[in-house]
Amino acid sequence: MPNMSLKKNPMPEQDPNVRNKNFLEVTTGYTVAMAVDEAQRCLNCKNSPCVNGCPVSVKIPEFISLIAQEKFEDAYNKITETNSLPAVCGRVCPQEKQCESKCVRGIKGEPVGIGRLERFAADYHMEHGEDKTEKPQPNGKKVAVVGSGPSGLTAAGDLAKMGYEVTIYEAFHTAGGVLMYGIPEFRLPKNIVQKEISKLKDLGVNIETNVIIGKSILLDELFEEFGYDAVYIGSGAGLPSFMGIEGEALNGVYSANEFLTRINLMKGYKFPEYDTPVFIGKNVAVFGGGNVAMDAARSAKRLGAENVYIVYRRGKEELPARIEEVMHAEEEGIIFKLLQNPTRFIGDEKGWLKGVEVIKMELGEPDASGRRRPVAIEGSEEILDIDTAVISIGQSPNPLIKNTTKGLDTNKKGCIIADENGAPSKPFVYAGGDVVTGAATVILAMGAGKTAAKAIDEELSKK
Amino acid sequence: MSYKIVQKKDLNSQIFLMEVEAPLVARRAEPGQFIILRIDEYGERVPFTIADFDREKGTVTIIVQVVGKTTRDLAKLTDKDSLSDFAGPLGVPTPLEGKKKVAVIGGGLGTAIAYPQAKKLHNLGADVTVITGFRNKDLIILEDDLKKVSNKLIITTDDGSNGLQGFVTDRLKEEIEKGEKFDEVIAIGPLVMMRAVCNLTKEYNIPTTVSMNPVMIDGTGMCGGCRVIVDGETKFACVDGPDFDGHKIDWNSALNRQQMFKKYEQQSCEDGHCRIGLH
Ligand SMILES: Cc1cc2nc3c(=O)[nH]c(=O)nc-3n(C[C@H](O)[C@H](O)[C@H](O)COP(=O)(O)OP(=O)(O)OC[C@H]3O[C@@H](n4cnc5c(N)ncnc54)[C@H](O)[C@@H]3O)c2cc1C
Ligand SMILES: Cc1cc2nc3c(=O)[nH]c(=O)nc-3n(C[C@H](O)[C@H](O)[C@H](O)COP(=O)(O)OP(=O)(O)OC[C@H]3O[C@@H](n4cnc5c(N)ncnc54)[C@H](O)[C@@H]3O)c2cc1C
Ligand code: SF4
Ligand code: SF4
Ligand code: FES
């Protein structure tokens, strides 16, 4: 008999007023009892609509029923048939827009907590399970992967399992991409990411850090000089956009990337144990409404800022961030200034930020993206006193590879143009993830890596 | 992976040279480019110009001035140590082809950064005048190396202790007034020095390239921390530079941005696990 409760088992989490002062994970995860109880809410639907909502088609009813039967390891193995990073996806997928949005239990009441259960199975495995990696039989072919974000990691893992000799080239000193330098510890503990990466190493994937493709090695040289048979580009969308308004070069104005990199990758929150400093003022404004903005605002709060604002030009409904992150941010005391847009930054005589002028907005006609376009209300300007600003209005792909590679087509935003298999304009070169789509999601980046791995295998098998 | 230090040599009391094994950096390095290194797990990522490289040996040389925590820690290492990270070459190589007569100006440590450019210009057959300035004669570096790659080498000191007193701008002005026709000036050194050179060359209408060195983290265009305003536009020094047209730089904003992390850097050395206990 299924559990007919209309509500999901709530997620145990740290108290908002405690967690907004530490970098420990906000949510602590289901216990066995909670997981089994939640799993019993699943109706095991024949046509499993939830699966259609998942970009990598995780076998949702199957794994959930295994949890209900307390076969946790089997549940984990079922998930990893199609998703190699369940501990990550269970935590960061926008489930409300994906799998859970399609769940029939969501029609009346809350959907099954698919993400939470996925995380449970992965965490259970990490604690109790054993990884039995068998190194596959090498097939004698070599593939290079550029970038070690979720997209590159997935492609590398799949290719290694098929017997390819895979090397990942990563520009930074640590592998993991945005999972390491963007998403903060309190949302995605870094040891989880590192465990996933060490599994890949067990599979025989070679990771070369500190190598910038387009600088240290040109893309074409990977074929000519290094003898690779194919290349997968998963270099992400790391180039921060600025707003182009007055005062952006003032001290105290950061891009979200700089702010979060200092904190996450360089562990600035442990300064001065670690050498990299982060400047945090008393009053911090973060501009933007996505996951990146939420992460920046919540990090600022944790580093001791008194007032942290999110300034977003549309309304609450339109915030692109995961619902859970918006809720957590509100609970932690982040102040939302919706329907407002900055017009200029104001500095003191020494070039330090002391305020920002914002203008009120209203929503007009829908634009090309179908969302209603925000329009400024003349004369509604006011000044907000701030000493730190974090600009988080989007990112586009870095031009390093594009500028040094012939025959690689990119669009206006600098994204590599690729077909549905991730094959761009150049022979034996594939691409996927944020570098193709522009800033998107972890699971889409993984899906692209998976598809491309398959396409690469098909093409190289013909060779 | 770690990067072995194969040579370490003091050039003066504050400046030392370090040759590091980094074949993937050496293979494509060009004058004007830089690397980013990290000493260890706790370290900051810090940029240094590629002062020299040897593609065959697979080594890259950097010349470092001790100014704060990381450079002080670095100064303690020897040819028995390794660095945990050494990434590059980063930035755009300085375009040096086709120049006939160039004045290369180095201020203090900037001399080391300017050296590979003078060397390449010389190898390309250009007429090279090198003018470098130091606070006093004890701080003079690379004199012999510079002699080899220049048609004329002028070394000037703030206090006149080497027999020639004055700033690099005084010397450059003298040369220009004497009728030397430079088709380009390359100026590398502290911001105020580069600004002074640019003010001078503007009067004489001589194109001038400067090398900007704002605070950097990734060095790949990802953080935007290194932004400089050039001709009213925001540029990233790590990917668009570090060399820019000196007559188009917004010097005030560059000088302000340099102040940003000053107090933290002091704290890093005072409270941090300063590995040498100085300060
Ligand atoms: C702060 C933040 C929060 C986010 N929160 C969420 C969330 O909650 N849920 C969600 O689904 N998505 C979230 N995202 C988006 C998600 O992280 C990205 O869509 C995803 O990481 C893209 O994966 P990727 O593999 O394409 O690229 P990335 O993760 O960006 O990885 C690219 C890697 O390539 C490296 N690289 C780049 N250029 C080169 C080069 N030339 N040579 C060698 N290496 C190179 C980079 O250093 C990087 O490590 C968030 C993003 C950010 C920034
Ligand atoms: C592209 C580039 C090339 C460089 N090349 C060289 C080089 O060849 N040799 C060399 O010795 N240095 C070079 N620098 C400067 C070098 O990176 C800094 O001196 C170093 O980061 C200081 O680290 P620290 O921890 O020792 O000092 P910190 O404790 O970080 O700082 C000490 C003092 O130096 C100032 N400072 C910090 N970073 C910089 C910077 N980037 N530029 C100027 N002042 C700074 C601080 O404001 C402070 O006053 C270069 C910088 C850039 C951006
Ligand atoms: S991978 Fe993401 S979308 Fe797919 S089932 Fe898991 S949480 Fe849902
Ligand atoms: S739609 Fe919901 S209830 Fe049905 S199988 Fe999927 S998760 Fe279970
Ligand atoms: S150093 Fe980060 S963008 Fe230049």
Side-chain angles (χ1 to χ4, degrees), chain A residues 189-384:
Chain A
K190 300 303 152 232
N191 67 339
I192 291 177
V193 183
Q194 288 310 315
K195 265 193 198 145
E196 297 296 349
I197 290 169
S198 71
K199 273 191 221 160
L200 283 190
K201 288 189 184 154
D202 293 343
L203 271 174
V205 173
N206 176 22
I207 303 182
E208 296 261 7
T209 50
N210 297 321
V211 181
I212 305 104
I213 300 300
K215 285 286 173 190
S216 323
I217 305 175
L218 301 186
L219 190 80
D220 290 319
E221 291 174 342
L222 288 172
F223 294 98
E224 297 153 10
E225 226 171 287
F226 290 74
Y228 289 102
D229 298 291
V231 176
Y232 180 70
I233 308 174
S235 54
L239 186 77
S241 308
F242 284 89
M243 296 183 286
I245 60 174
E246 191 185 319
E248 265 179 336
L250 288 166
N251 288 334
V253 181
Y254 288 104
S255 74
N257 274 0
E258 176 178 1
F259 188 68
L260 290 169
T261 302
R262 280 182 181 271
I263 296 172
N264 300 325
L265 185 73
M266 305 308 294
K267 302 213 169 33
Y269 66 95
K270 293 188 182 164
F271 178 83
E273 178 195 350
Y274 285 73
D275 292 348
T276 304
V278 235
F279 168 78
I280 295 285
K282 253 181 157 165
N283 300 302
V284 180
V286 177
F287 301 90
N291 288 321
V292 186
M294 300 304 140
D295 286 345
R298 297 168 70 198
S299 298
K301 189 83 189 175
R302 282 164 170 74
L303 287 168
E306 277 170 32
N307 298 302
V308 182
Y309 309 101
I310 294 242
V311 180
Y312 179 58
R313 62 200 183 120
R314 292 185 161 97
K316 187 160 181 183
E317 296 294 297
E318 287 81 17
L319 282 168
R322 294 177 75 221
I323 285 186
E324 190 180 63
E325 308 313 326
V326 176
M327 272 163 38
H328 281 156
E330 280 178 328
E331 289 167 11
E332 288 166 15
I334 309 297
I335 304 155
F336 283 76
K337 295 202 161 272
L338 300 167
L339 289 164
Q340 296 189 30
N341 208 27
T343 46
R344 68 188 168 102
F345 291 110
I346 302 158
D348 65 14
E349 59 296 337
K350 290 203 173 119
W352 280 87
L353 179 70
K354 65 170 191 187
V356 59
E357 183 185 84
V358 293
I359 188 165
K360 294 215 164 68
M361 311 291 281
E362 59 192 353
L363 293 180
E365 295 298 308
D367 62 12
S369 73
R371 293 186 301 177
R372 291 174 64 195
R373 205 165 61 86
V375 194
I377 305 173
E378 298 276 335
S380 67
E381 292 90 347
E382 60 177 43
I383 307 269
L384 189 62

Side-chain angles (χ1 to χ4, degrees), chain B residues 31-46:
Chain B
Q33 292 188 292
F34 63 96
I35 57 94
I36 289 208
L37 65 78
R38 222 170 52 129
I39 299 179
D40 58 28
E41 166 65 25
Y42 295 93
E44 223 177 329
R45 290 170 66 92
V46 285

Side-chain angles (χ1 to χ4, degrees), chain A residues 240, chain B residues 36 215-227 236-239:
Chain B
I36 289 208
V215 170
M216 292 187 178
I217 303 182
D218 56 300
T220 63
M222 198 208 81
C223 71
C226 64
R227 56 200 190 276
F236 293 177
C238 68
V239 285

Side-chain angles (χ1 to χ4, degrees), chain A residues 39 41-51 60-65 99-100 102-106 110-114 117:
Chain A
R41 292 185 63 226
C42 173
L43 304 176
N44 234 314
C45 312
K46 279 253 149 43
N47 56 349
S48 46
C50 48
V51 177
I60 297 169
E62 286 96 323
F63 99 75
I64 292 184
S65 84
C99 51
E100 293 181 20
K102 301 269 160 64
C103 172
V104 296
R105 295 293 311 259
E110 290 183 349
V112 174
I114 302 171
L117 289 171

